[in-house]
Amino acid sequence: MARVEIVTYDKQWPSDFRDIAASLQALLGPEAIAIDHIGSTAVHGLSAKPLVDIDVTLPSREHVFAAITTMERAGYENRGNRYEEDVYAFMMRSTNPQRRVYLLPQGNETHQKRLLFRDYLIGHPQVAAEYSALKQKLAHQYAYDGDAYTRAKADFVNDVVVKARSTK
């Protein structure tokens, strides 16, 4: 099992995202309604796993299912429907940084929460610093259990999403 590694912010991540987004747009074509940089690498200054997380919004579930084979042929490892109905994860470990791409249909609730969380951290540096400290602690505590690491962050993430919704 891979080690949960948290590294200091890399100013190259926004550029990495733009390059990956362009390749995904070329791969998936006009069906890709939106390609969003999510996760900690999307928040300037935030420590993160050296992994660029990206949500790709497609028009419908049928478009998501149709894109799965395209992603696999392009070298992405299909990680399946891991988080919620209609959210399909793909990894590419052979790149630096590694990338994790999620395909999801338009209007997906998980996607909306991710954008709220990201934007709230961007707008609230103190909350981002608290999140960074939590991630460092949990990465040490769950060094070889990425799923437990993710579960242990859930309450913090959910609390921030609630705050973000109440300020909209």
Side-chain angles (χ1 to χ4, degrees):
M1 184 169 276
R3 181 171 178 76
V4 177
E5 176 189 19
I6 303 296
V7 300
T8 57
Y9 181 80
D10 185 335
K11 64 183 186 306
Q12 184 64 36
W13 286 335
S15 176
D16 291 334
F17 163 73
R18 286 189 296 274
D19 292 345
I20 297 165
S23 72
L24 288 167
Q25 189 70 62
L27 179 65
L28 297 170
E31 286 80 21
I33 295 170
I35 300 175
D36 294 295
H37 192 181
I38 58 163
S40 296
T41 60
V43 180
H44 182 79
L46 185 59
S47 297
K49 289 190 250 180
L51 170 74
V52 175
D53 285 307
I54 298 171
D55 274 0
V56 177
T57 303
L58 299 168
S60 68
R61 293 178 73 201
E62 292 71 30
H63 286 88
V64 169
F65 296 139
I68 290 172
T69 303
T70 302
M71 294 292 287
E72 291 170 342
R73 286 188 182 138
Y76 284 88
E77 171 192 344
N78 186 342
R79 306 280 294 162
N81 184 357
R82 296 175 52 96
Y83 301 97
E84 155 188 310
E85 187 177 339
D86 299 335
V87 178
Y88 289 84
F90 297 84
M91 285 288 297
M92 184 160 305
R93 299 176 197 277
S94 62
T95 56
N96 186 20
Q98 294 180 23
R99 55 185 83 164
R100 182 169 40 209
V101 177
Y102 298 95
L103 301 181
L104 31 77
Q106 192 170 16
N108 182 272
E109 178 67 15
T110 294
H111 177 64
Q112 299 309 316
K113 288 178 184 176
R114 289 174 173 166
L115 295 179
L116 283 167
F117 183 70
R118 177 200 68 192
D119 294 348
Y120 194 88
L121 292 183
I122 289 169
H124 298 84
Q126 180 56 41
V127 177
E130 291 169 20
Y131 185 53
S132 182
L134 174 64
K135 292 190 324 168
Q136 294 284 356
K137 175 185 155 201
L138 295 175
H140 179 73
Q141 186 175 348
Y142 300 107
Y144 291 97
D145 190 344
D147 290 338
Y149 164 82
T150 299
R151 280 192 305 273
K153 296 185 309 177
D155 286 343
F156 184 94
V157 171
N158 291 334
D159 289 347
V160 168
V161 169
V162 168
K163 285 179 195 169
R165 281 196 168 131
S166 71
T167 60
K168 279 198 127 197

